[in-house]
Amino acid sequence: MNDVAAQLRNETSDRIAQNLTHLVATPFQAFESYEAARRQNRIDLNNGRDIEKFLWRQLPAFGNLSLTAFVTSNQEFFGAERQDGAIVIRTSEVENNRALTTYRTNSTGDRLEVINAGKPNFDPRKRPYYRIPVQQRQATWGKVFPHITGKTMYIAPGQPIYNQAGDLEGVWMASLNLSTIGDFLRSLKIGTTGQSFILERSGEMIATSTGEKPFRYYADKVVQLPEQRVERLNAIDSKNSTTQKTSQFLLEKFQDFHQIQTFEQLEFSIKGERQFVQVAPFRDGKGIDWLVIVTVPESDFMAQINANTQTTILLSLLALGISLGIGILTTHWITQPILQLNQASSAMAAGTLSPAVTESSVYELQELTQSFNRMAQQLQESFKTLEQANEQLENRVEERTAELKATKEEVEMALRELQRTQTQLIQSEKMSSLGQLVAGVAHEINNPVNFIYGNLGHADQYTQELLKLVQAYQTHYPEPPPAIVQQSKAMDLDFMVNDLSKLIESMKEGARRIREIVLALRTFSRLDEAEVKSINIHDGIDSTLIILGNRLKPKPNHPGIEILRNYGSLPLVECYPGPLNQVFMNILSNAIDAIELAIEQGKQITPAISIHTGLIDESRAQIRIGDNGSGIPEAIKQRIFDPFFTTKPVGSGTGMGLAISYQIVTDRHQGTLSCRSQSGEGTEFVIQIPLKQKLRH
């Protein structure tokens, strides 16, 4: 029962953590999208109408968000919010005395009538989603705050935006409705009557699976604003008995919710009934520090266990009685013939094969007795034959042993050669597959991208000429017919003219990036340089870093990895470009894996990979690639170049990467590959190869 309860709590906590991880990452994904549009000049932060229309268009792409907005440093607010199945615009501007006003919109995001107008001088800069990120000067979460209607609670992060002079322009914000988390918790089935809830370290509720709201609303409270009628609900004040008792138990055990820093599985009783409790901290590295609590009562498991136990006892007693009765009746019937067989077997074991056993009246034992007598007779004949065969076997064993000793060394040499050949075949097949893949990608992508990139300039020129024609028409015909005026408003001509050139520039940038990636793939695989060539080593390293670029970028739970290039002055080096680039790929990939593992284990580091190149002497070049991960333990450092040796989980690595790299450097390039590492101090791989290759035949 304890194992089942633990498994149920673990699975529930894991599902909650996975959902929360996805949910709290959504606002920061929205911030990345907004900033990308700003860098491409697709949005003007000095134009409030441009901001609100942009956010109105972006909100459907982020289904978990309830409200997104931009708060300027001069107290203005421009946002889009989901309301009654539609998306409305909510603003506070200088023109309307900074009153928070809600507008219904048409199908293109333009304002229609006013739905609600609040009191003047609304100051969003006092909200936690503005104050806290500005104080910390980075994207981070604010505190939970009530919606202006007072009917629900929101939590939102903010990302401050600064101009080139370092002055604050405003703050992006994106809100989550706490009811979204509560709806997910209610969808989970935890045993029969189990439940879950989420707390802040202060003990205040975030959400619960019982349907209870994480706040109290006082409708009769005399206040100026609706949100002032809302008060956060503390878990120990919950109306749900299980939630209240569980929170009290945790406070009594740990004195403070801040003391719970690790995964805990506990037990306590409510009115004499045992409760299984699991507490798991949840953090996202950007300001969220919650506790996920799962409670399952013992009664969910015991009812069926008790019923099965009673049934098992009754059936066991009945089976025991029947077995005893049958056993007593049959024992006497079969004991005597078996005793005779036992005596004859003892005599046979002592070497006497002559006595015969009297046949029994039981059919099965009669057959057994006849077989026993035949076996005794055959054994007498077999012993004589065995004596002769034993002498012949001893002679053959001596001859065979001599032959095996003579061939032992040949087999061992063949095995070592087979392992070496296997490694070379795997590398050859791998590089051949990579070459075919890159050739197909480069050919299929490069031609259409060049076509697109080459024509974008003409498209931009034609567009500008057409726009000049439209402007000339507007100049000479300032009052066009009503049908043209109506069509111009419907298609939002001014916005289209302003946004068209930005879109073309964005398309040019995308095509240029694709051309760079295709070039990096060709440089990495060196498809046209299968034999020894004189190349720039730095080009191969840089192309490998471009291919690995996605793994170097920051992630929700990991900071970005910095590349420290310390390139020396190297001449062109004679080498096999494709295989050597594969060595760089294997070592850099392992460095990234080591840094990610160190961060997951809680090591406080600034992730970085250093690359040093230079000359050892006039005939040899050296490349050093180091990371600041957890390092390699001394016990396994001597085995890292062995084929199929890996410390990664099953399915995450083959153990061939470093073995193949070692073979490429030492055999194909007559160089050396070594490793310098200490546990907890990081790792550095050192490659040394000659500047000129001596071709072997």
Side-chain angles (χ1 to χ4, degrees):
M1 181 185 66
N2 290 336
D3 291 342
V4 173
Q7 182 179 358
L8 177 60
R9 287 177 289 175
N10 285 335
E11 292 176 352
T12 303
S13 292
D14 289 344
R15 290 187 60 189
I16 294 174
Q18 291 174 2
N19 184 270
L20 288 179
T21 299
H22 171 72
L23 190 63
V24 302
T26 303
F28 298 94
Q29 294 169 358
F31 293 162
E32 292 179 0
S33 176
Y34 299 168
E35 281 303 287
R38 187 172 72 90
R39 287 192 298 268
Q40 296 172 4
N41 297 321
R42 296 180 59 194
I43 181 173
D44 183 5
L45 296 184
N46 297 316
N47 187 335
R49 294 295 179 90
D50 193 17
I51 297 173
E52 68 187 39
K53 200 167 186 179
F54 170 80
L55 294 176
W56 184 91
R57 292 173 175 171
Q58 288 287 314
L59 188 56
F62 303 97
N64 293 325
L65 300 182
S66 298
L67 166 66
T68 62
F70 182 75
V71 181
T72 67
S73 58
N74 66 342
Q75 197 178 330
E76 291 188 308
F77 178 98
F78 303 95
E81 183 175 9
R82 302 180 194 274
Q83 180 172 307
D84 299 329
I87 298 178
V88 300
I89 287 176
R90 180 162 287 157
T91 64
S92 170
E93 305 172 83
V94 175
E95 288 80 359
N96 62 358
N97 199 18
R98 292 190 173 89
L100 191 61
T101 306
T102 305
Y103 299 89
R104 198 183 312 278
T105 63
N106 61 16
S107 60
T108 60
D110 296 314
R111 297 181 183 181
L112 296 178
E113 73 273 19
V114 175
I115 300 176
N116 182 37
K119 294 184 177 182
N121 201 29
F122 170 72
D123 191 356
R125 298 174 301 180
K126 297 180 180 179
R127 294 280 184 166
Y129 55 73
Y130 185 98
R131 289 188 297 102
I132 295 177
V134 170
Q135 291 172 358
Q136 298 187 14
R137 297 184 66 85
Q138 63 179 354
T140 187
W141 286 93
K143 296 181 180 179
V144 175
F145 63 94
H147 190 259
I148 59 171
T149 63
K151 299 299 184 181
T152 186
M153 302 290 290
Y154 279 5
I155 183 171
Q159 177 171 332
I161 305 301
Y162 299 91
N163 59 24
Q164 294 181 352
D167 299 325
L168 179 67
E169 292 187 15
V171 175
W172 290 116
M173 66 85 73
S175 300
L176 297 175
N177 194 329
L178 293 189
S179 63
T180 302
I181 305 176
D183 293 341
F184 168 72
L185 294 182
R186 285 195 297 274
S187 69
L188 298 177
K189 181 172 179 58
I190 311 173
T192 304
T193 60
Q195 63 185 57
S196 61
F197 55 97
I198 302 173
L199 301 180
E200 288 190 308
R201 294 290 182 168
S202 63
E204 293 174 320
M205 297 279 286
I206 292 295
T208 176
S209 63
T210 63
E212 184 179 17
K213 293 183 177 180
F215 62 91
R216 294 173 176 171
Y217 181 77
Y218 299 94
D220 55 349
K221 190 175 180 181
V222 179
V223 294
Q224 293 182 347
L225 300 173
E227 62 264 37
Q228 294 175 346
R229 296 179 179 177
V230 177
E231 179 182 297
R232 296 287 302 279
L233 176 64
N234 200 295
I236 60 175
D237 298 327
S238 171
K239 294 182 180 180
N240 183 275
S241 175
T242 301
T243 303
Q244 182 189 79
K245 298 295 183 184
T246 303
S247 303
Q248 290 175 345
F249 163 72
L250 293 175
L251 280 176
E252 292 172 0
K253 183 171 180 63
F254 296 97
Q255 286 77 49
D256 192 319
F257 288 119
H258 290 86
Q259 301 298 323
I260 306 176
Q261 296 296 324
T262 59
F263 175 92
E264 301 282 351
Q265 286 196 339
L266 309 167
E267 298 178 10
F268 77 105
S269 297
I270 299 179
K271 296 181 180 180
E273 182 180 9
R274 186 162 58 152
Q275 305 286 325
F276 297 93
V277 180
Q278 176 168 297
V279 185
F282 175 81
R283 304 179 180 90
D284 73 335
K286 295 183 183 296
I288 282 185
D289 188 6
W290 295 344
L291 294 176
V292 178
I293 302 171
V294 179
T295 303
V296 185
E298 183 182 33
S299 59
D300 282 9
F301 306 94
M302 287 305 299
Q304 187 62 37
I305 291 176
N306 291 333
N308 290 341
T309 301
Q310 294 176 0
T311 302
T312 302
I313 292 174
L314 292 176
L315 291 175
S316 299
L317 291 175
L318 178 61
L320 178 61
I322 295 174
S323 299
L324 288 175
I326 295 175
I328 293 172
L329 291 176
T330 57
T331 297
H332 181 73
W333 186 32
I334 64 176
T335 298
Q336 292 303 320
I338 292 177
L339 288 175
Q340 291 182 7
L341 283 173
N342 183 50
Q343 293 172 357
S345 298
S346 299
M348 183 179 295
T352 303
L353 302 178
S354 57
V357 180
T358 304
E359 295 183 0
S360 170
S361 59
V362 180
Y363 175 76
E364 288 79 1
L365 291 177
Q366 184 179 20
E367 290 291 327
L368 180 60
T369 302
Q370 292 175 357
S371 299
F372 182 84
N373 291 333
R374 288 195 299 270
M375 180 185 67
Q377 183 178 0
Q378 292 173 356
L379 282 175
Q380 290 177 334
E381 298 174 356
S382 298
F383 279 144
K384 294 179 181 180
T385 305
L386 284 174
E387 291 178 356
Q388 299 174 356
N390 187 44
E391 294 179 359
Q392 297 176 358
L393 181 60
E394 289 179 354
N395 295 332
R396 294 180 60 188
V397 167
E398 292 178 356
E399 295 174 357
R400 186 58 178 166
T401 301
E403 294 176 0
L404 290 175
K405 289 181 179 179
T407 58
K408 179 181 179 181
E409 294 184 358
E410 297 179 3
V411 172
E412 291 178 348
M413 291 178 61
L415 179 59
R416 288 194 294 269
E417 185 62 26
L418 177 61
Q419 291 176 337
R420 176 186 176 89
T421 303
Q422 182 185 33
T423 302
Q424 293 175 343
L425 286 175
I426 291 174
Q427 170 65 11
S428 176
E429 182 64 25
K430 188 173 183 180
M431 293 305 297
S432 175
S433 300
L434 177 62
Q436 294 175 6
L437 174 63
V438 174
V441 170
H443 179 73
E444 295 298 332
I445 294 179
N446 199 44
N447 288 339
V449 166
N450 285 335
F451 176 77
I452 294 172
Y453 189 79
N455 284 313
L456 280 176
H458 298 297
D460 190 15
Q461 179 183 355
Y462 298 159
T463 301
Q464 296 302 322
E465 294 297 330
L466 290 174
L467 292 178
K468 290 179 181 179
L469 178 61
V470 171
Q471 292 172 354
Y473 176 82
Q474 291 175 337
T475 301
H476 292 283
Y477 297 96
E479 295 182 1
I484 295 179
V485 174
Q486 182 178 1
Q487 179 64 25
S488 176
K489 290 182 179 180
M491 65 188 293
D492 199 350
L493 181 60
D494 292 337
F495 174 80
M496 183 182 299
V497 169
N498 185 43
D499 197 47
L500 185 57
S501 61
K502 300 176 184 178
L503 289 177
I504 293 178
E505 287 301 320
S506 177
M507 292 163 64
K508 286 183 178 179
E509 176 66 16
R512 185 188 63 79
R513 289 288 304 279
I514 295 174
R515 293 176 68 191
E516 287 182 353
I517 292 173
V518 170
L519 179 60
L521 285 173
R522 291 186 57 84
T523 302
F524 171 76
S525 63
R526 310 301 291 238
L527 296 178
D528 53 348
E529 301 180 8
E531 299 300 327
V532 172
K533 299 288 183 180
S534 295
I535 67 164
N536 186 336
I537 291 293
H538 299 153
D539 290 343
I541 297 174
D542 290 339
S543 66
T544 305
L545 290 173
I546 291 176
I547 294 172
L548 293 172
N550 189 54
R551 297 192 61 190
L552 301 173
K553 294 179 180 178
K555 301 179 179 61
N557 296 325
H558 296 288
I561 300 175
E562 182 180 5
I563 301 299
L564 305 176
R565 293 177 173 88
N566 295 286
Y567 291 166
S569 178
L570 285 179
L572 297 181
V573 178
E574 285 188 357
C575 64
Y576 296 91
L580 190 59
N581 286 343
Q582 183 66 25
V583 173
F584 297 150
M585 174 67 76
N586 291 337
I587 294 177
L588 288 170
S589 295
N590 285 347
I592 295 172
D593 293 339
I595 290 174
E596 291 179 347
L597 178 60
I599 294 174
E600 291 174 0
Q601 293 175 345
K603 185 177 180 182
Q604 300 298 322
I605 61 174
T606 300
I609 296 176
S610 62
I611 305 173
H612 297 261
T613 64
L615 291 174
I616 304 174
D617 51 40
E618 60 183 11
S619 63
R620 290 184 301 164
Q622 177 176 270
I623 303 98
R624 294 186 290 122
I625 302 175
D627 63 75
N628 59 347
S630 297
I632 303 175
E634 189 66 29
I636 66 173
K637 190 163 65 174
Q638 301 301 322
R639 302 181 59 195
I640 60 175
F641 295 118
D642 293 347
F644 308 109
F645 175 77
T646 179
T647 59
K648 296 179 181 178
V650 176
S652 299
T654 63
M656 291 299 297
L658 288 178
I660 291 173
S661 298
Y662 188 84
Q663 186 267 335
I664 291 172
V665 174
T666 58
D667 288 358
R668 299 195 67 178
H669 292 87
Q670 295 86 52
T672 62
L673 174 60
S674 59
C675 173
R676 303 169 183 170
S677 180
Q678 290 184 359
S679 183
E681 299 295 331
T683 302
E684 182 180 65
F685 284 88
V686 180
I687 303 169
Q688 295 182 1
I689 58 174
L691 299 179
K692 302 290 184 180
Q693 291 292 321
K694 297 180 181 179
L695 298 180
R696 294 180 296 175
H697 300 281

